[in-house]
Amino acid sequence: MASNELKQRVTQNPSTTTMNNKKRNIGVGRRREKRMAMAKRGFKSLAIAVSLPLSLTLLSMYLGSSLHTQQHADYYDDDDDVVVVASTKPFWFTPSWVLHLMCPASSFLMGISAWMVWADGGFHANPVALLLYLAQIIFTLLWDPLVFGLGATRVGLMVCLGLFGALSGCMHVFRQLNSVAGDFTKPCLACAAFLSVVNVKLLFV
């Protein structure tokens, strides 16, 4: 009996069923549009978070090469490759192009890491995270022009230590806000440590 009454109601009110179906379709369409809009905004913010520090790092590298001095001429030839005599060049001392790739790679990873923290509202919840991130950007931008451009290896070493400290702080704070973002800072920290060792070697050239 109940099924017959339900069939009669559906038969008597076909317009109601049609309207309900239209409302459901409209609701699904709106949710899909919202998800697409959020995805587009997320992609744009990610692109900005990565491209801005990466562009600044590349500009810093360009300034460093344009200001290149001859202070380390024994270590670099015209192509900036390491050509120092084997007795003074350590086996681990990489060509300068490898060092120049480390900073952009670090900026790229830190951009992604910072975007993850920002997307989770971490910068608003903990402003120290933003300050540490900005500090490591500044130190990254300063190192190449100082060391490769002006030959200021003593100041460059101080910048390296500051960069290492800022990245250590980022790793600690980011990990509390987003564990994946904290993991992304680990290769950057290793890069800063290696740059510090290279800087120490250049200091005694």
Side-chain angles (χ1 to χ4, degrees), residues 6 9-10 13-29 31:
L6 180 60
R9 290 178 183 176
V10 172
N13 302 303
S15 60
T16 303
T17 303
T18 304
M19 290 178 63
N20 291 335
N21 290 335
K22 288 182 178 180
K23 289 180 179 179
R24 283 195 294 269
N25 292 334
I26 293 173
V28 171
R31 288 194 295 270

Side-chain angles (χ1 to χ4, degrees), residues 3 6 21 29 60 76 88 109 133 136 146 148 155 157 161 179 181 189 198 203:
S3 59
L6 180 60
N21 290 335
S60 172
Y76 300 97
T88 57
L109 291 176
Y133 174 66
Q136 69 84 28
L146 286 173
F148 290 103
V155 181
L157 181 58
L161 295 177
S179 60
L189 192 62
V198 171
L203 188 60

